[in-house]
Amino acid sequence: MDTDERLDAIVVGAGFGGLHMLYRLRERGFSARVLEMGTGVGGTWYWNRYPGSRVDLESVEYSYSFLPELEQEWNWTELMPAQPEILAYLEWIADRLDLRRDIRFSTRVVAATWNEQTATWTVETDAGEKLDARFLITATGCLSAPLEPAIAGVADFAGDVLHTNRYPKAGYDFEGKRVAVIGTGSSGVQAIPVIAEEAATLHVFQRSAAYTRPANNRPLRAGEMEELKAEYPEIRARQRTSHSGTLRFGAFAVDELYRTDRLILQTAEEDRLRILDDEGWTAPGTFADVMVDIDANRAANELYAELIRRTVSDPRTAAALVPQYPMGCKRPIIDTGYYETFNRENVTLVDLRADPLVGITATGIETESGHVEVDTIVFATGFDAITGPLDRIEIRGRGGRLLRDGWVDGPHTYLGLAVAGFPNLFTITGPLSPSVLANMVMAVEQHGDWITDCLAHMREHEYLTIEATPEAEEEWTRHTLEVAETVPVRVHESCGSWYLGSNVPGKKRVYLVYTGGMPAYRARCDEVASGGYTGFVLG
Ligand code: NAP
């Protein structure tokens, strides 16, 4: 099929990143089309509709800041809203800013090819349609490529199968069902307490235990939204100077959570327990040595185990719930009643470390010690993170080079925004940018604004192409890896996380995110732009 359209930009994905990008491009007079594989906007919040799905930041921070009037019009109902409310917010944004007319839904991008002669990208959809644009902007998110669980017999199961990351729009009735959940990352930890309340029985198959603590979520009090609206300018200003673009995590002030003056290895055992009594679940992570010293981290893990023992009545279950990898290695989780769920009569924890998974049968799940019959399996098994969403598109740059081929030894990018050999390609929250270690909404706004300014600069100076130099790319890639090493527990040999790609068989173990914080990152991006786009070749 022939190319049917020529545009300034094609944006892939209509989540937080794609919607903001489209608005900014239009505002500056660029023609753009968003291609979205879902039937609606929302990205992460469109696909992850599982019970209990909820953001772990406060709504006033996890929301757009680019148009202050939006903040004043929208009313949040909870501190940390659930998925339906966030999706409703994004749908409202799409309507309020009249974005839908430039979004094509149910359209999956399968390939994108750079044409040397025309200096344009040709984007191919799953329907075989081709569209041309000068710029290709991926807003595909970091956690959007579902990981298929590599479990023997998975296709043999005759009951219902659900995936948290592709949850049915119509929902699912767990009433009276014997249910298994496989996976205890953020998604599993959120879904398990809710499913347990509905299901007849719930077996939780845990390979790695989670570090999770109570979210302390609550509805906003009457009048609280008005107070927050008045504070928005200050909140936004403070967010911009914060390392992660986040002031509060799980109803706690981030500044207070991560203290710098208290060392666990210099705190006597009885004092550690006293601190635990006073401060509860937040205590273990607040010692300054926990993230940098593996012995301190083990001591914090012991305190954490004590908290689990205090919450979970069965000692064997409590012991099985204690993580055996460093605290801070994986994404910290916050929950609503997770550990308490294991005190319910209808819930059983299956510790796959002690009783490995053999496979799935037509009627249930088999481990070395026996077989559990279930009606429904819920997979909460995660994503091929950060690089996965880009690797799954055949993106070909100069000389027909495939993007993913150059990333076999880990991604190489300039600022997580651009790749040498791939002119006029911008990757919103791409590999080696702050992305998931920052407030994602702030991260996509920063990238979207930078990209729009760059396009306007090119228009003004009549440049047709922009491309990162191999030297700038190598310098940034090396710098990112060096910064990651400064937080030893994140890269410790005992840590396997999706930040390192360790959850995907065969994926190179490399830290995929810039850990230097949003202020430093923003300053570097601004410096590049004000220097006339240093590290890029414009032509
Ligand atoms: P995840 O953190 O990667 O967790 C996947 C879980 O499935 C892990 O417990 C993993 O065990 C297990 N698993 C994977 N394959 C398995 C297998 N073959 N057999 C047994 N167990 C298996 O994925 P996620 O929970 O979807 O969360 C991903 C990220 O999304 C989070 O870290 C967070 O950034 C984001 N998220 C955020 C929220 C929120 O903000 N509220 C909610 C959900 C997700 P191993 O650890 O041993 O591999």
Side-chain angles (χ1 to χ4, degrees):
M1 189 179 291
D2 284 338
T3 299
D4 76 338
E5 283 190 79
R6 292 181 80 86
L7 298 155
D8 287 321
I10 288 174
V11 179
V12 188
F16 265 106
L19 295 180
H20 169 259
M21 191 72 246
L22 174 60
Y23 177 81
R24 282 300 198 213
L25 288 169
R26 258 198 209 165
E27 184 190 39
R28 304 283 280 271
F30 294 105
S31 61
R33 179 67 39 87
V34 177
L35 304 179
E36 164 57 53
M37 65 179 169
T39 60
V41 300
T44 283
W45 302 103
Y46 173 92
W47 297 104
N48 293 268
R49 298 164 186 259
Y50 59 85
S53 174
R54 179 180 295 286
V55 66
D56 55 4
L57 304 182
E58 294 194 7
S59 49
V60 292
E61 296 183 27
Y62 189 81
S63 52
Y64 286 128
S65 68
F66 68 96
L67 282 180
E69 57 262 42
L70 300 177
E71 298 168 344
Q72 297 303 319
E73 289 172 33
W74 181 262
N75 294 310
W76 295 105
T77 66
E78 288 183 272
L79 221 48
M80 286 164 279
Q83 174 271 334
E85 188 167 347
I86 304 169
L87 185 59
Y89 169 74
L90 287 168
E91 285 172 344
W92 173 74
I93 292 281
D95 292 333
R96 169 73 175 70
L97 301 178
D98 188 22
L99 298 176
R100 290 181 200 271
R101 65 185 157 88
D102 283 326
I103 306 175
R104 192 174 293 176
F105 295 105
S106 306
T107 303
R108 194 161 67 82
V109 171
V110 293
T113 308
W114 173 250
N115 310 301
E116 303 279 358
Q117 274 85 37
T118 54
T120 54
W121 282 95
T122 299
V123 170
E124 194 176 336
T125 72
D126 53 351
E129 193 181 8
K130 289 183 177 170
L131 294 91
D132 267 10
R134 290 183 55 214
F135 297 94
L136 173 64
I137 304 172
T138 58
T140 39
C142 297
L143 295 155
S144 56
L147 202 56
E148 294 300 331
I151 300 174
V154 75
D156 300 339
F157 185 62
D160 295 334
V161 172
L162 301 168
H163 295 265
T164 51
N165 50 33
R166 277 164 283 167
Y167 206 76
K169 261 183 168 177
Y172 183 81
D173 186 3
F174 289 97
E175 192 73 40
K177 298 273 192 337
R178 298 166 303 169
V179 180
V181 172
I182 301 182
T184 50
S186 302
S187 306
V189 164
Q190 287 189 331
I192 285 161
V194 185
I195 296 173
E197 279 182 18
E198 284 182 36
T201 60
L202 172 61
H203 282 79
V204 175
F205 291 81
Q206 171 196 273
R207 188 165 70 183
S208 299
Y211 283 102
T212 174
R213 59 185 171 72
N216 293 349
N217 186 36
R218 61 170 174 78
L220 293 181
R221 294 183 295 268
E224 193 172 358
M225 195 64 230
E226 280 60 45
E227 289 166 24
L228 288 166
K229 282 181 180 177
E231 287 172 27
Y232 261 125
E234 195 202 325
I235 292 171
R236 299 306 189 188
R238 288 180 57 218
Q239 274 184 272
R240 284 171 72 92
T241 60
S242 130
H243 187 88
S244 60
T246 309
L247 305 178
R248 299 177 69 78
F249 175 61
F252 295 97
V254 170
D255 292 354
E256 287 163 33
L257 269 182
Y258 303 106
R259 294 184 190 175
T260 52
D261 55 348
R262 198 162 73 181
L263 301 175
I264 196 165
L265 291 182
Q266 290 180 14
T267 306
E269 180 66 30
E270 61 272 24
D271 291 334
R272 293 180 194 173
L273 289 171
R274 189 184 44 72
I275 291 169
L276 208 62
D277 293 340
D278 291 349
E279 299 176 17
W281 288 96
T282 58
T286 57
F287 295 90
D289 42 355
V290 167
M291 291 297 278
V292 290
D293 181 331
I294 203 71
D295 292 329
N297 202 285
R298 286 197 190 100
N301 172 281
E302 199 18 67
L303 279 189
Y304 193 82
E306 170 63 16
L307 286 162
I308 296 175
R309 286 191 290 272
R310 289 179 187 182
T311 314
V312 176
S313 0
D314 173 45
R316 283 187 56 188
T317 304
L321 285 165
V322 178
Q324 290 180 358
Y325 56 90
M327 178 181 292
C329 139
K330 299 192 188 201
R331 175 101 175 169
I333 307 177
I334 55 176
D335 67 81
T336 304
Y338 181 65
Y339 291 116
E340 291 80 355
T341 297
F342 294 93
N343 293 333
R344 293 177 68 102
E345 293 270 307
N346 66 335
V347 176
T348 308
L349 180 70
V350 182
D351 180 4
L352 298 177
R353 293 173 303 190
D355 183 14
L357 196 63
V358 174
I360 293 176
T361 68
T363 57
I365 298 178
E366 195 175 342
T367 63
E368 283 187 0
S369 78
H371 185 263
V372 179
E373 298 248 319
V374 292
D375 304 305
T376 311
I377 302 178
V378 181
F379 289 102
T381 41
F383 303 87
D384 180 356
I386 318 283
T387 49
L390 298 172
D391 285 348
R392 290 182 185 193
I393 305 173
E394 301 274 316
I395 302 178
R396 291 187 183 275
R398 283 199 198 279
R401 213 179 92 205
L402 198 54
L403 184 71
R404 64 170 174 264
D405 283 353
W407 288 1
V408 171
D409 289 329
H412 299 253
T413 73
Y414 184 35
L415 302 171
L417 262 171
V419 183
F422 293 79
N424 293 9
L425 166 69
F426 294 106
T427 52
I428 294 179
T429 61
L432 314 185
S433 76
S435 67
V436 288
L437 286 180
N439 176 327
M440 277 297 273
V441 184
M442 175 181 268
V444 300
E445 287 187 338
Q446 187 260 339
H447 269 181
D449 291 352
W450 191 95
I451 293 166
T452 322
D453 287 345
C454 177
L455 264 57
H457 174 88
M458 290 178 69
R459 179 171 57 191
E460 191 188 331
H461 297 278
E462 298 183 357
Y463 290 122
L464 288 179
T465 59
I466 181 166
E467 182 180 353
T469 67
E471 296 75 27
E473 182 184 85
E474 271 325 288
E475 185 275 327
W476 179 256
T477 303
R478 194 176 54 249
H479 170 65
T480 303
L481 300 180
E482 280 167 8
V483 179
E485 302 271 332
T486 61
V487 186
V489 299
R490 289 204 178 120
V491 290
H492 192 264
E493 60 196 19
S494 60
C495 170
S497 70
W498 56 255
Y499 293 104
L500 284 161
S502 333
N503 62 331
V504 180
K507 193 166 174 178
K508 172 84 175 169
R509 184 183 157 93
V510 169
Y511 208 83
L512 297 167
V513 186
Y514 175 69
T515 58
M518 274 307 280
Y521 178 77
R522 187 190 296 274
R524 178 71 191 268
C525 290
D526 290 349
E527 195 185 295
V528 165
S530 62
Y533 295 90
T534 48
F536 288 97
V537 174
L538 291 131

